[in-house]
């Protein structure tokens, strides 16, 4: 991301110009695969400008991933700031932030255009290989859209760990990134890495300033897994389809009993091809097609099963949010248990005997007693108070692994050995108390555990309130 000390309007006029140039002949050797890809997908690469501090303008990049105007970028590019997007052939278009996953540095913003926009096809990153050619599109220096080319230098690296350290800690659970050598500079953040097939395989996220041609990108598979959480159409719209989608294959992975999907006759393994008369070619199409729906609405669904086409009517139900409980008869704080052991993932403590038990106001390590320096786990249990019905974000930060379960379901997964990092999850909860379980294990090094609660779309972290069941005095 790049900052400029100019008024926003001046920057926009100065950085976006269009010049009509003659084109090489169709059979010219100048027409390489790079030219073809840029001509086909280049219109999906956009420049992002947003308000900064002290009348500055920050610049970044993004890619249009749906013709209706959804733009994928980095969270650090937009955060909660207002701004505009420059699209080829369009005037500056204001954007609104749809969803942010600051733990993954991903954000989804929306622009409104008068006609469908060019969208880049999303590829896969599970089969990326070192040496394959790539293009990088973006807005370096705020100069508008430019392209650079190079190769994938490595399909899987860490940004902050040496190879020697990785060899000693093979179970480390930090995110891996794609490293590439194409030119990338401040302002390229959020832009796409595109393969020779014209598909986006990564999102540019960082560069190493003290080294030459060392740039990192978020694999697109990670971004695709985050798409539901960026849009959250069902939770925000308070409706339920009952369709659990496998984003890698665009097939139905699960259909809960008594769900709308089950009533419509849908089954795991079905591939949805159309939703509400709109084609579904990817997980993005499916989730975007649900935005703005409401309970009681009927959606026409077309799908294939065993290579045969079928049609069904899907009636949306109200979202099945678990009712909250009352705080009456419960005491503030959480109960905790400490267990000894060497763990690399969240342990099953059901067969372990606790070393020590106690109560703590908050799920913090400085509020427990009797824990060793390393090789232990602690489990906090009780109830989390949700102040009002709606979509909420729970976040857990830890060094090493941690997990949060609410109403018996995994809400935030920060599992595995790693230095301090955060993981967030979002869900629709009803007002009241909800059973909560916060797990943490310490392997080696520093130890830290933090928990945060915030409203959907807000950066303001509320002080979470916890309760546990009041113990009844033993009968004499």
């Amino acid at each position: 991301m790049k900052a400029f000390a100019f008024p926003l309007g001046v920057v926009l006029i100065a950085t976006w110009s269009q010049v009509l140039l003659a084109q090489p002949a169709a059979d010219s050797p100048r027409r390489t695969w790079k030219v073809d890809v840029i001509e086909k997908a280049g219109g999906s690469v956009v420049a992002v400008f947003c308000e900064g501090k002290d009348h500055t303008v920050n610049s970044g990049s993004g890619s249009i991933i749906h013709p209706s105007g959804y733009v994928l970028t980095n969270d650090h590019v937009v955060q909660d700031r207002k701004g505009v997007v420059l699209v080829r052939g369009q005037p500056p278009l204001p954007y609104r932030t749809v969803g942010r996953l600051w733990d993954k540095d991903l954000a989804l913003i929306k622009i409104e255009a008068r006609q469908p926009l060019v969208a880049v096809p999303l590829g896969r990153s599970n089969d990326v290989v070192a040496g394959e050619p790539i293009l990088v599109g973006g807005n370096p220096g705020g100069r508008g859209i430019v392209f650079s080319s190079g190769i994938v230098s490595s399909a899987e690296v860490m940004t902050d760990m040496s190879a020697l350290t990785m060899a000693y800690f093979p179970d480390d659970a930090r995110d891996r990134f794609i490293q590439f050598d194409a030119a990338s500079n401040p302002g390229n953040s959020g832009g796409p890495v595109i393969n020779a097939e014209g598909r986006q395989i990564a999102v540019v996220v960082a560069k190493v300033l003290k080294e030459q041609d060392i740039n990192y990108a978020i694999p697109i598979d990670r971004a695709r897994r985050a798409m539901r959480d960026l849009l959250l159409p069902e939770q925000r719209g308070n409706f339920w389809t009952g369709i659990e989608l496998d984003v890698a294959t665009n097939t139905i992975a699960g259909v809960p009993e008594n769900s709308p999907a089950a009533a419509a006759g849908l089954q795991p393994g079905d591939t949805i091809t159309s939703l509400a008369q709109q084609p579904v070619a990817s997980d993005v199409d499916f989730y975007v097609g649900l935005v703005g729906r409401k309970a009681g609405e009927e959606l026409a669904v077309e799908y294939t099963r065993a290579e045969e086409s079928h049609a069904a009517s899907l009636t949306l139900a109200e979202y099945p949010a678990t009712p909250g409980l009352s705080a009456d008869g419960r005491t503030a704080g959480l109960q905790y248990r400490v267990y000894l052991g060497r763990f690399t993932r969240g342990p099953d403590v059901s067969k372990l005997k606790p070393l020590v038990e106690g109560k703590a106001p908050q799920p913090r390590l400085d509020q427990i007693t009797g824990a060793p320096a390393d090789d232990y786990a602690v489990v906090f249990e009780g109830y989390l108070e949700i102040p009002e019905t709606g979509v909420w974000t729970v976040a857990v930060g830890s060094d090493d692994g941690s997990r949060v379960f609410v109403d018996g379901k995994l809400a935030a997964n920060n599992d595995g050995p790693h230095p301090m990092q955060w993981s967030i999850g979002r869900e629709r909860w009803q007002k009241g108390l909800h059973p909560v379980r916060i797990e943490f294990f310490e392997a080696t090094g520093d130890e830290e555990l933090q928990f945060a609660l915030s409203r959907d779309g807000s950066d303001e972290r509320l002080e979470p309130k916890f309760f546990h069941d009041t113990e009844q005095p033993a009968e004499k």
Side-chain angles (χ1 to χ4, degrees):
M1 183 171 60
K2 179 76 172 179
F4 301 89
F6 299 105
L8 183 60
V10 173
V11 172
L12 298 182
I13 294 173
T15 58
W16 193 256
S17 61
Q18 294 184 347
V19 180
L20 296 177
L21 300 175
Q23 297 294 311
D27 58 351
S28 170
R30 295 162 55 194
R31 283 199 164 275
T32 65
W33 70 267
K34 298 176 184 179
V35 174
D36 290 340
V37 168
I38 291 174
E39 286 187 349
K40 292 176 181 178
S44 66
V45 184
V46 301
V48 180
F49 294 90
C50 59
E51 298 176 355
K53 296 180 180 180
D54 302 324
H55 304 291
T56 60
V57 175
N58 296 323
S59 70
S61 308
S63 57
I64 300 171
I65 60 172
H66 193 271
S68 60
Y70 286 93
V71 175
L72 180 64
T73 185
N74 289 145
D75 180 65
H76 78 260
V77 168
V78 293
Q79 296 182 345
D80 58 352
R81 300 182 293 254
K82 297 180 180 179
V84 297
V85 171
L86 299 185
V87 183
R88 185 173 66 188
Q90 300 281 338
L93 300 172
Y95 69 77
R96 63 178 176 86
T97 302
V98 174
R100 298 171 52 201
L101 294 176
W102 48 265
D103 60 327
K104 298 299 183 185
D105 200 6
L106 291 169
L108 195 65
I109 60 178
K110 180 74 163 58
I111 54 178
E112 304 294 337
R114 295 181 179 179
Q115 66 275 340
L117 299 171
V118 176
V120 60
L122 298 185
R124 295 294 310 280
S125 50
N126 65 327
D127 62 351
V128 169
V129 294
E132 70 171 283
I134 50 95
L135 291 170
V136 171
N139 176 34
R143 295 187 299 275
I145 300 305
V146 298
F147 293 88
S148 58
S149 67
I151 63 168
V152 171
S153 305
S154 174
E156 186 178 79
V157 297
M158 290 188 188
T159 61
D160 56 356
M161 179 183 275
S162 72
L164 179 61
T165 306
M166 290 173 62
Y168 280 105
F169 295 96
D171 295 318
D172 189 280
R174 275 175 282 190
D175 286 334
R176 270 60 169 176
F177 295 82
I178 293 174
Q179 182 178 317
F180 63 92
D181 70 346
S184 179
N185 292 285
N188 272 107
S189 292
V193 177
I194 303 174
N195 67 12
E197 296 173 343
R199 297 181 177 276
Q200 182 172 353
I201 59 169
V203 181
V204 177
V205 69
K207 79 176 279 93
V208 180
L209 296 176
K210 62 182 180 180
E211 298 182 40
Q212 187 174 358
D213 299 331
I214 305 298
N215 308 287
Y216 300 121
I218 300 169
I220 200 63
D221 285 357
R222 192 183 310 159
R224 292 181 65 170
R225 288 193 298 269
M227 201 58 58
R228 183 189 73 90
D229 291 332
L230 288 169
L231 284 164
L232 283 182
E234 298 185 48
Q235 290 88 337
R236 289 169 176 160
N238 193 22
F239 66 85
W240 186 40
T241 64
I243 296 174
E244 300 172 4
L245 196 67
D246 182 344
V247 299
T249 61
N250 202 33
T251 60
I252 297 177
V255 177
E257 294 183 5
N258 303 318
S259 68
L266 297 173
Q267 299 177 7
D270 293 345
T271 300
I272 298 175
T273 58
S274 175
L275 180 68
Q277 286 80 48
Q278 296 298 316
V280 173
S282 70
D283 51 305
V284 177
D285 293 335
F286 175 75
Y287 291 123
V288 168
L290 292 177
V291 172
R293 307 295 180 181
K294 59 184 179 180
E297 190 172 351
E298 293 186 10
L299 302 181
V301 177
E302 296 179 3
Y303 61 97
T304 60
R305 178 185 300 166
E307 300 183 355
E308 293 185 1
S309 298
H310 302 271
S313 179
L314 180 69
T315 302
L316 304 179
E318 186 174 335
Y319 194 80
T322 303
L325 304 174
S326 171
D328 294 343
R330 295 184 169 94
T331 304
L334 293 164
Q335 297 173 321
Y336 70 82
R337 296 177 177 86
V338 177
Y339 302 86
L340 291 178
R342 182 168 294 179
F343 309 109
T344 58
R345 290 293 184 271
D348 178 6
V349 299
S350 61
K351 298 181 180 180
L352 299 178
K353 183 178 180 179
L355 173 69
V356 65
E357 301 181 40
K359 298 178 178 63
Q362 294 284 329
R364 286 170 34 189
L365 300 180
D366 61 0
Q367 295 181 353
I368 67 174
T369 58
D374 295 314
D375 296 334
Y376 74 93
V378 59
V379 176
F380 296 89
E381 288 189 291
Y383 301 89
L384 169 66
E385 182 181 65
I386 298 298
E388 61 185 44
T389 298
V391 179
W392 290 84
T393 299
V394 293
V396 61
S398 64
D399 176 350
D400 288 285
S402 56
R403 296 186 296 181
V404 178
F405 295 83
V406 181
D407 293 327
K409 299 178 181 179
L410 184 63
N413 189 0
N414 202 10
D415 204 5
H418 50 69
M420 178 61 185
Q421 68 179 26
W422 285 88
S423 177
I424 70 175
R426 293 191 179 95
E427 186 53 87
R428 184 176 189 87
W429 287 299
Q430 292 190 19
K431 180 180 179 179
L433 304 189
H434 293 261
V436 65
R437 177 184 175 95
I438 301 169
E439 302 176 349
F440 167 83
F441 76 85
E442 170 62 21
T444 59
D446 297 332
E447 58 178 13
E448 187 171 359
L449 176 64
Q450 297 185 43
F451 180 90
L453 177 70
S454 60
R455 291 180 172 84
D456 180 35
S458 172
D459 284 339
E460 180 185 3
R461 296 182 182 180
L462 306 180
E463 182 69 22
K465 295 182 179 180
F466 296 97
F467 295 83
H468 64 83
D469 290 326
T470 303
E471 296 179 355
Q472 299 298 322
E475 294 185 2
K476 295 182 179 180

